[in-house]
Amino acid sequence: MNPSVTPAELGSVTTGIDGVQVWQEEFYKDIHRHPDLWGEEARTAEKVTKKLQEIGVDEVLQIGGGVVGIIRNGEGRRVLFRADMDALPVTEATGLEYASAEPGKMHACGHDAHVASALGAAALLAKNKSEWSGTYLALFQPGEETGKGAQAMIEGGLVDRLAAVKPDVCLAQHLLPVPVAGNVATRSGAILSAGDSLKVTVFGKGAHGSMPQLGVDPAVLASSIVLRLQGIVSREIAPSDFGVVTVGSIKVGTAPNVISDQAELLLNVRAYDLAVRDKILKAIDRIVRAECQASGSPKDPTSRPSPRSRSP
């Protein structure tokens, strides 16, 4: 944080890390056992607040469902480090001793480790103030999986309440199993992409399976859409640009001999560049509408944002 500090001198900021790691592991396992989804992070936020107070930060703020711990240590750069707190709507089947005790909820994306890591960093900085100078802001955000948590904190007054300690730089981290577990990696430029999830509903005309000529089959329509969507990245996006279009779920019908009247597709889009993102989303809309028209769909499709069910 202080440009004059050499890497060797910076190393003493980690004094006391062995003791920190003991409670870090306990904290991590506890919130892994008791994951909170977006909008339900009260337990996690309360535990984070108590731990920040315990390690001796100067101020703790409750903002929009999130928590900010502030460590003031004289003149110097103001650094914000963000960790996300929410879990995923996934039932855990790992068999771990500390597996989720909440059916349908799991920290499958590493946010439990993000929280524990950020608390550990704050604890070491609070303990070793003689080794650095500046202001450190440990921000714990709800609702990363839906994108709504950051907005909730902004609407809760985050910018105004941090005006006096406006960060010079904002940092974050994300756990990944690649390229090699147990390593810390960084790079210039983009690392993780922006994500959009869409729920697309297309409409057919119900009929008996023995008389398909009387209906409009949404299963065939949905299948055509899935295949056509594969051409967006391979044929509409330049090879030098990054883009991903994934259809993660198709729901249509409930019986083998009945043609349903609608199908639901869950899509995930990834891109680094906003222009590429917009191009992909427009292409999805164009393809869905065109395939519906080609199939004789009785009414226009619908599309709306959908929470991600898995990440990253």
Side-chain angles (χ1 to χ4, degrees):
M1 295 181 192
N2 185 335
S4 66
V5 174
T6 67
E9 293 170 332
L10 190 61
S12 25
V13 173
T14 62
T15 299
I17 192 171
D18 290 343
V20 168
Q21 287 178 331
V22 172
W23 62 255
Q24 260 188 314
E25 181 176 350
E26 295 173 355
F27 196 100
Y28 160 77
K29 288 182 176 180
D30 180 79
I31 60 174
H32 189 92
R33 287 191 190 98
H34 304 284
D36 292 330
L37 301 180
W38 153 239
E40 303 172 1
E41 296 101 336
R43 181 184 186 276
T44 302
E46 181 181 1
K47 287 186 65 68
V48 167
T49 297
K50 289 181 178 179
K51 181 56 70 172
L52 288 171
Q53 293 169 339
E54 179 183 313
I55 63 180
V57 304
D58 297 300
E59 186 176 4
V60 180
L61 305 176
Q62 310 286 339
I63 305 175
V67 183
V68 181
I70 303 174
I71 304 174
R72 298 182 177 88
N73 194 26
E75 296 298 319
R77 300 187 73 189
R78 298 179 294 270
V79 176
L80 182 148
F81 187 87
R82 179 278 242 166
D84 32 22
M85 300 189 295
D86 57 325
L88 288 162
V90 177
T91 297
E92 182 164 0
T94 63
L96 291 171
E97 170 270 326
Y98 55 91
S100 172
E102 311 290 338
K105 303 177 184 180
M106 178 189 176
H107 272 295
C109 201
H111 295 185
D112 46 357
H114 296 173
V115 171
S117 297
L119 286 171
L124 291 173
L125 290 168
K127 178 181 178 64
N128 299 301
K129 283 188 173 182
S130 62
E131 304 302 321
W132 64 281
S133 62
T135 301
Y136 184 75
L137 301 100
L139 186 150
F140 299 84
Q141 176 197 316
E144 185 275 341
E145 292 296 340
T146 64
K148 295 179 180 179
Q151 187 65 39
M153 292 193 74
I154 291 171
E155 292 174 354
L158 177 68
V159 176
D160 291 339
R161 296 182 70 179
L162 296 185
V165 287
K166 181 180 178 181
D168 297 305
V169 62
C170 297
L171 305 174
Q173 65 174 358
H174 205 297
L175 294 179
L176 291 172
V178 293
V180 182
N183 288 265
V184 177
T186 186
R187 54 163 288 180
S188 61
I191 296 178
L192 300 177
S193 59
D196 290 274
S197 290
L198 304 173
K199 178 181 177 180
V200 175
T201 304
V202 296
F203 301 95
K205 181 181 178 183
H208 194 276
S210 65
M211 296 178 284
Q213 74 280 8
L214 299 180
V216 175
D217 194 338
V220 175
L221 168 56
S223 300
S224 298
I225 290 171
V226 172
L227 291 175
R228 182 70 182 180
L229 290 177
Q230 307 314 303
I232 296 175
V233 173
S234 65
R235 288 296 176 267
E236 299 190 38
I237 303 300
S240 58
D241 293 328
F242 170 82
V244 174
V245 179
T246 298
V247 181
S249 173
I250 303 177
K251 297 179 182 178
V252 54
T254 57
N257 62 339
V258 177
I259 294 174
S260 180
D261 61 356
Q262 69 178 54
E264 176 186 291
L265 302 91
L266 298 181
L267 282 65
N268 188 249
V269 175
R270 301 287 173 137
Y272 290 144
D273 184 86
L274 288 178
V276 173
R277 170 187 176 269
D278 290 344
K279 187 172 184 177
I280 291 174
L281 292 176
K282 288 178 180 177
I284 290 172
D285 183 70
R286 184 192 75 236
I287 287 169
V288 169
R289 292 182 181 280
E291 290 293 341
C292 286
Q293 185 175 11
S295 296
S297 182
K299 62 179 179 177
D300 291 338
T302 63
S303 177
R304 62 179 178 82
S306 173
R308 298 201 303 269
S309 59
R310 287 185 180 269
S311 181

